[in-house]
Every structure is written in structure tokens, then in C-alpha cells.
Amino acid sequence: MVTIKDVARIAGVSTATVSRVIHNGGQVGDACRAKVKKVIAELGYQPNANAQALVSKTTKAIGVVTPRLSMSFFGTLASGVENAVSENGYKLLMANSLYETQSELDAIQSLRQHNCRAIILHSEYSDEATLIRLAEEIPGLVLVNRYIPQIANRCVWLDNIRGGQWVTEYLLAQGHQQFAAVTSIYQNRDPAERLQGSRQALMEQGLSLPPERVAKSTANMEGGEQAVKELLARGETFTALLAYNDLMAIGAIHALFAAGIRVPEDVSVVGFDDLPVARACRPRLTTMHYPIEEMAAYAVNLAIKLSNANCQPTGQTYLFMPHLVERDSVTKASR
Amino acid sequence: MVTIKDVARIAGVSTATVSRVIHNGGQVGDACRAKVKKVIAELGYQPNANAQALVSKTTKAIGVVTPRLSMSFFGTLASGVENAVSENGYKLLMANSLYETQSELDAIQSLRQHNCRAIILHSEYSDEATLIRLAEEIPGLVLVNRYIPQIANRCVWLDNIRGGQWVTEYLLAQGHQQFAAVTSIYQNRDPAERLQGSRQALMEQGLSLPPERVAKSTANMEGGEQAVKELLARGETFTALLAYNDLMAIGAIHALFAAGIRVPEDVSVVGFDDLPVARACRPRLTTMHYPIEEMAAYAVNLAIKLSNANCQPTGQTYLFMPHLVERDSVTKASR
DNA sequence: GTGAAAGCGCTAACAA
DNA sequence: TTGTTAGCGCTTTCAC
């Protein structure tokens, strides 16, 4: 391994000078700088990041913790983070939290041990108090997809309520009147908010979403399938189906077809998230686009900024809006 | 930040002793060890990973470089790596290579700067010479999805030829005789091998896959769609369609339906990889399962092993086999 | 069994 | 403009 001393010795200067050259510090003579640069190139010298981190007490590493990378949504989130991170010349440290509060905390701990400068966290289950405490300890902590008033300026999140509202208004505009919904059994945050938005839109038209028309299950394909079966078994009728997310929507479509109900001819179905899979299924899914990649990039830049200045909580927050992507799973209601 | 010195001072011992306790070194008295442990717990002391890395010249970090995390296949790969890595008490460093030779090399460089102990690399475009040179410099380098004879003992790869062969044999067993294929325009490795396997199986039955029945395009959904359109425009007829991967298969199915051809009633379609999306599309895709998560875990353990001993190239290599997953996109050929 | 001390590779005062 | 020097937090001989 070639160290800064080797460079210094061969270039005939001190290590301090080499260090200055590496960091483009102003106070170096041109000739000297050129010589050092030449030696660096010849030797293929690379500063040891650990040593730099040790002495400067900060690293060029950013950590991200998400439930599981194998899920499309989180893969895309991580990808957005990675791009922004490497654009800034930083490194990415990853940790899966596996949807468990404890391993989420463990993941954060181990990231901190490595002195990452900032942490991007997608937390679903940790409570607000924990997150607030964490934010106090970690200047560069940013929450994605979560809003906590006390640390609003570290939250990069999505307006789920409006999302639910807009997608419902769209269905309404297509003439639909009979709605049903499949949603997550965990009625925490996202699912509850999206549903709330839908109910709001419905109410404005004097319509409603009665509880018997809302089936709950796991927030994946199987869950969507299962939930629709339940709806059908109860004999519910509807022309528009609101799914909590794309996965549930696709499962729902499967169950509908299995029951001889065509989408969109008989029933229109909408999803939420706009995962890649929304373009793969048939009919291609009309859904609300979740700008997760942009949000991830935004979160990284915010995290870097926060980690530099030590920012006090401000009232400001970072709210993104979903938008509708029209594809083939919705059609006008036939009267 | 609480350091080892703080612990030592409060426990009334030297830092050396604390260090021994941390590492469960044998030579510490029971009383002393208990006291130190207590203080560590009270203070919430966490060793500084950078300092440890600096002095011990090795880290508990493993790097992984893949083209893009947002692609399902790589997300799953990364997820497999992450699980194995954290099971071993290591940390994961990520870098996207964006399908470019140079950024792939950059990614590796920056990982090395951080002294990761091992690197898991999914390289598609770097040439063998480069990879071999890299392997010489990095003891813990492991290649996923690639086989290079000179460094066979660092390759964790899949038998694509047999995969192509088996899936074709399956179609043959269903009575199909007229085959067509959609494959990647880049006929390097995987696509070429899978096709080769198919041709082999066909030949054994006295059948063949004439060039005009093979359409090439990008290895994604759009490509699959495009390729099938081409086939159809040329007036080719077939009852079985071999797709390079699941994405192309799904695109193909879309194009087929658009042309009024039903899957599987009129044409059977098979994919390769078994991405999550294969269970989302309709009909659900019959495909060859690529055990990427297992391979990733295997690669991690191998990488750790290699980074410990300094292993010389042996003849051994690590070959995984795909297997068929029967779903709904294939049916018996009607004669 | 325990401590003292050297030093990993680097940065940043402070001198010169 | 450049060099000297003192650590950063930790591990690891080598004494005791």
C-alpha cells in the first residue's frame, strides 16, 4: 500500500504539502504542486479513507436503511440515493432493516459506528419519540416517506392524502359511482391517508365508501387477490376499485379475472406507486406515480446540507406530490 | 463521543485491557472483564470503526458493485448480499456501475479506498484481462454471474447453457415443434449461451432454430415487444417462443396479444430469471428460476474466506443451476 | 493478568 | 510557500 509518506519522500516534500495538494489547498507553489501530482499519479496513490475519517472526524459516506432491497420500491429508493451520493463524491453504506424496529435501530447503530456523515432512513415502524431522539443525535439524519412535525425539516415525504383524493377524483370524472377498496391490514399512515383522501373526494360528490366495501389484507399481490375474493364472496358490486398500492392492484386484477370479471371493461382498477411492474401487467395499470427516485436524491442533498451546518428545527418541510399516470386499467363507467 | 480512553479511565484499567475485553481476548481476569463490560454498557461505548480499520488494516465492510439497484434482478442480488453480510457482522458498501466499464472501475477503486475487505462484482462489460488483474490485487474479489477460467475459484455463476437447454426440452416435451426466439442484441455470454442451450436441445430432436426465427432487441420489455412485432411482420409462425429473459417474455406477450394471438392457447412463451414480475403478469410466466439470492449469499461467504487465507487459484469453481418454474404461459401444443 | 508505549495514515495548527 | 509536530481512536507487542 502506498501512503502519503511515500509520496512525500519521493516528491521530496513533506506530508503536509502532499495533503494540501490532495485537497487543492491554495498554499502550494505551482512547481511543487505539479511535482507532487506527478508522483501521486506515478505511484497510483489513493488516500486511505479510514485514516482521513479518523482524523477529520467525518467521512464521505452516507448510510441508507430500508426494509429490503429486493422490493422494487426500495431498490428504486436505494438507486436514487446511490446516484445522488456518488454525484457528490460520497460512498453509500447500506443496511436492511427487515421491517423490524430492533434491526432498524441496529442498522442505524452500525452505520453510526462507521461515522457516516448522514443517514437516509425509511422507517415504517419506529415511533416518533425514537426518531426525534435519533434526529437530535445525528445531525445528518433524514426521513424519507414520513412526516414528524417536530423534525419537519428532516422529512422528505409524499402527500398521500391528495394522492388518494386525486386518483379517486379521476375515477369519478370517468363516471364511476360504485367504489370499493382493497387496503393494508396495517392502517398506519400511508394506507390510512390514501383511503382518507379517497373518502374525501367521494364525500364531495355525495358518495361514500362503506366499510363492507373495504377489504383489508397484506399489502402485496397475494393480499390484493385475497381481498378481492372476500369482496366478491360477500356479493359486493362495484365498477371502480381503489387499491392501496400497485401490488395489491395487480393481485386484485388477477382475482377479478379469475372470477370472470374483466378489467377495465367491467371494473376499473387503480394502483399507487407506479412501480415498474405497473407497466408489465395486463392491462397496464393506471396508477399514481410516486417520485421516489427524485425524493431520494433530494433527501441526500438535504442530508449533506444538514450535516454541515448544525441546523435547528425550522418549520420548513419537504413535501412531494404524486401524479396520475393513465394507462389501461380504467375506462369510463357504462351507465 | 465516548472513546476507549473514557472507558479505561472510568473502569480504572488501561485501554489495552478494554481492547482485550471488546475482542474477547483470553487474558483478562474475570472481575476485571465484568467491570469493563459494565462500564461499556453504561457509557454506551461503541468502538470507532475507522480507527479499528486504520490500525488493523482491514475492515468489516464488504463492497458490492452492480449496474443499477433499481433493476429487480440487481436489487435482489444486493438484498442477498446484504443479508449474508450482516449475518457475518459486516457492513455493506454499495456502488452502481451504470453499465459502463469506466464507472465500474471507478466504483471498485473507491471501494478499495475504503479498505473493504472484499468486493462482490457483477461485471458485464469489463474484459477478462482487467478482471484477472483486479483479482490479483484484491484477495477478496468475487465475480457473480461470470466465469473466467484463470480465476475460476472466484466465480459464482449460473449454467446458462443448461438453462436454455432444459427450458427448451420442457417445451419439446409439451409437443412443441415450431420455435422462435427473442434475444438480446448483445450476443455476449448469457444471451448467446442460453440460445446455444436451446439449439442443442432442438438439434437432439432433429429440429432447429433458423436465424429468421430469432429476433434481437434490447433485453427489456420494450425489446421483447419490438422483437415479436418483427417476427410477426415477417410472417413467421411458431407455437413456442423462447425469450432471453422475463422482461423480454412479458414484452413479447404484450405484442402477441396486441396482434390477437393468445398466450398460451396459440403460442407458449417462456422466460428466464424468475423475477418477481413473472408472478405479476398475466398469464403468469413459466420461466427458469435464477437463484440469485442464494448465489449472492454464497459469494459473500466465499469472499470472506478468500480475504482471510490468501488463496491461490485452484481449479474449483462455483456453478449454480437454474430450475424450471411452471406457471401459466405454456400449454401443450395442439396438433 | 495488566499496563506502557509505539504507531496505523492522515490532517491541521503553528512555525519558519 | 513549506515543514514540524501533535494527535485522531484503536490494537498490539513487550515488559512487568
Side-chain angles (χ1 to χ4, degrees):
Chain A
M1 182 187 216
V2 26
T3 74
I4 200 171
K5 279 189 189 165
D6 300 321
V7 177
R9 186 169 33 80
I10 296 182
V13 299
S14 74
T15 61
T17 301
V18 177
S19 179
R20 289 186 191 108
V21 171
I22 293 169
H23 298 285
N24 284 312
Q27 314 297 57
V28 184
D30 288 346
C32 179
R33 156 165 288 133
K35 188 173 53 185
V36 171
K37 279 194 170 168
K38 184 155 157 287
V39 174
I40 286 178
E42 281 171 7
L43 264 45
Y45 166 70
Q46 301 265 82
N48 178 322
N50 291 118
Q52 290 182 315
L54 181 58
V55 57
S56 61
K57 294 193 177 325
T58 177
T59 56
K60 296 276 266 177
I62 290 189
V64 52
V65 1
T66 64
R68 344 180 39 115
L69 242 25
S70 55
M71 295 172 68
S72 186
F73 183 87
F74 299 116
T76 307
L77 169 56
S79 193
V81 170
E82 211 285 339
N83 293 154
V85 157
S86 60
E87 259 173 34
N88 285 286
Y90 283 64
K91 222 35 340 42
L92 215 215
L93 274 159
M94 280 282 336
N96 280 352
S97 65
L98 301 173
Y99 278 124
E100 289 163 31
T101 309
Q102 190 49 51
S103 57
E104 188 172 297
L105 260 24
D106 291 347
I108 294 173
Q109 264 323 316
S110 82
L111 253 26
R112 293 183 66 190
Q113 236 181 77
H114 281 256
N115 296 309
C116 342
R117 191 200 205 96
I119 293 180
I120 313 290
L121 172 61
H122 181 292
S123 171
E124 218 142 315
Y125 295 114
S126 291
D127 56 42
E128 302 206 348
T130 306
L131 262 13
I132 292 172
R133 187 168 45 68
L134 237 34
E136 279 163 11
E137 292 172 16
I138 310 172
L141 180 76
V142 168
L143 264 31
V144 169
N145 191 34
R146 184 125 179 202
Y147 173 67
I148 298 178
Q150 295 89 327
I151 48 173
N153 63 326
R154 294 143 169 288
C155 297
V156 175
W157 53 296
L158 187 82
D159 195 329
N160 280 298
I161 299 184
R162 281 211 177 74
Q165 186 185 332
W166 290 342
V167 74
T168 309
E169 284 170 356
Y170 169 71
L171 251 11
L172 251 9
Q174 306 299 307
H176 289 278
Q177 307 240 19
Q178 289 192 287
F179 286 78
V182 293
T183 187
S184 166
I185 10 176
Y186 299 107
Q187 282 295 305
N188 59 344
R189 278 188 295 283
D190 301 12
E193 290 172 5
R194 291 176 191 179
L195 215 48
Q196 179 192 339
S198 291
R199 289 212 152 96
Q200 228 162 278
L202 254 18
M203 204 162 16
E204 281 172 16
Q205 298 300 314
L207 296 172
S208 73
L209 193 56
E212 65 273 18
R213 291 265 187 79
V214 177
K216 295 176 184 173
S217 190
T218 51
N220 54 22
M221 247 177 61
E222 290 68 32
E225 218 165 323
Q226 159 82 36
V228 163
K229 276 187 194 155
E230 220 173 85
L231 248 24
L232 260 22
R234 282 210 293 266
E236 304 292 342
T237 60
F238 48 89
T239 70
L241 181 66
L242 300 157
Y244 163 57
N245 65 15
D246 290 349
L247 262 17
M248 289 195 88
I250 289 169
I253 292 176
H254 285 190
L256 254 11
F257 270 93
I261 300 169
R262 293 163 307 165
V263 176
E265 294 83 350
D266 303 322
V267 168
S268 290
V269 176
V270 293
F272 206 117
D273 285 350
D274 193 24
L275 303 182
V277 72
R279 301 186 314 119
C281 60
R282 221 164 29 86
R284 296 182 316 142
L285 200 60
T286 291
T287 188
M288 292 304 288
H289 179 77
Y290 193 130
I292 183 63
E293 214 152 349
E294 289 89 322
M295 288 169 66
Y298 196 95
V300 169
N301 289 305
L302 177 60
I304 293 177
K305 209 180 77 191
L306 289 173
S307 72
N308 287 327
N310 67 352
C311 298
Q312 290 309 305
T314 67
Q316 195 180 7
T317 190
Y318 307 96
L319 178 61
F320 282 70
M321 292 295 172
H323 66 260
L324 187 76
V325 180
E326 288 191 64
R327 298 211 181 89
D328 313 323
S329 64
V330 170
T331 190
K332 286 203 182 305
S334 53
R335 206 61 40 84
Chain B
M1 181 187 217
V2 25
T3 74
I4 199 171
K5 279 188 189 164
D6 300 322
V7 176
R9 186 168 33 79
I10 297 181
V13 299
S14 72
T15 61
T17 300
V18 177
S19 180
R20 289 186 191 109
V21 171
I22 292 168
H23 298 284
N24 285 311
Q27 314 297 57
V28 184
D30 289 347
C32 180
R33 155 164 288 132
K35 187 172 54 186
V36 171
K37 281 195 167 167
K38 184 156 157 287
V39 174
I40 287 178
E42 280 171 8
L43 263 46
Y45 166 70
Q46 301 265 84
N48 179 322
N50 290 118
Q52 289 182 315
L54 180 58
V55 57
S56 61
K57 293 190 176 325
T58 178
T59 55
K60 295 276 266 179
I62 290 188
V64 52
V65 2
T66 64
R68 344 181 37 116
L69 241 26
S70 55
M71 295 171 69
S72 187
F73 183 86
F74 300 116
T76 307
L77 169 56
S79 194
V81 170
E82 212 285 338
N83 293 153
V85 157
S86 60
E87 256 172 36
N88 285 285
Y90 283 65
K91 219 44 329 43
L92 216 216
L93 274 159
M94 279 283 336
N96 280 352
S97 66
L98 302 173
Y99 277 123
E100 289 163 31
T101 309
Q102 191 48 51
S103 58
E104 189 171 297
L105 260 25
D106 291 348
I108 294 173
Q109 265 322 318
S110 83
L111 253 26
R112 293 182 67 189
Q113 238 182 79
H114 281 256
N115 297 310
C116 352
R117 194 202 204 92
I119 293 180
I120 313 290
L121 172 62
H122 182 291
S123 171
E124 219 141 315
Y125 295 114
S126 292
D127 56 42
E128 302 206 348
T130 306
L131 262 13
I132 292 172
R133 187 168 45 67
L134 237 36
E136 278 163 10
E137 292 172 16
I138 310 171
L141 180 76
V142 169
L143 265 31
V144 169
N145 191 36
R146 183 123 179 202
Y147 173 67
I148 297 178
Q150 294 90 327
I151 48 173
N153 64 325
R154 293 142 169 290
C155 297
V156 175
W157 54 296
L158 188 82
D159 195 329
N160 281 298
I161 299 185
R162 282 212 177 74
Q165 186 184 331
W166 290 342
V167 75
T168 309
E169 284 170 356
Y170 170 72
L171 252 10
L172 251 8
Q174 306 300 307
H176 290 278
Q177 307 240 20
Q178 290 191 286
F179 286 78
V182 294
T183 186
S184 166
I185 12 177
Y186 300 107
Q187 282 296 304
N188 59 346
R189 279 189 292 285
D190 301 12
E193 291 173 4
R194 291 177 190 178
L195 216 47
Q196 179 191 338
S198 291
R199 288 211 152 96
Q200 228 161 278
L202 255 18
M203 206 164 9
E204 280 172 17
Q205 299 299 314
L207 296 171
S208 74
L209 195 55
E212 65 273 16
R213 291 267 187 78
V214 178
K216 295 175 183 173
S217 189
T218 51
N220 53 24
M221 246 176 62
E222 289 69 32
E225 219 164 323
Q226 159 84 36
V228 162
K229 277 187 194 153
E230 224 172 81
L231 247 24
L232 262 21
R234 283 211 292 268
E236 304 292 343
T237 60
F238 48 88
T239 69
L241 181 66
L242 300 157
Y244 163 56
N245 65 16
D246 290 348
L247 262 17
M248 288 196 88
I250 289 169
I253 292 176
H254 286 190
L256 253 11
F257 269 93
I261 299 170
R262 293 164 306 163
V263 176
E265 294 83 352
D266 303 322
V267 168
S268 290
V269 175
V270 292
F272 206 117
D273 285 351
D274 193 25
L275 303 181
V277 72
R279 300 187 312 119
C281 60
R282 220 163 28 86
R284 297 181 315 142
L285 200 61
T286 291
T287 187
M288 291 304 288
H289 179 78
Y290 193 131
I292 184 62
E293 214 153 348
E294 289 89 323
M295 289 170 65
Y298 196 93
V300 169
N301 289 305
L302 177 61
I304 294 177
K305 210 180 75 190
L306 288 172
S307 72
N308 286 327
N310 66 351
C311 297
Q312 290 309 305
T314 67
Q316 194 180 7
T317 189
Y318 308 95
L319 178 61
F320 282 71
M321 293 295 172
H323 66 260
L324 186 76
V325 180
E326 288 191 64
R327 298 211 180 89
D328 313 323
S329 63
V330 170
T331 190
K332 285 204 183 306
S334 52
R335 205 64 38 84

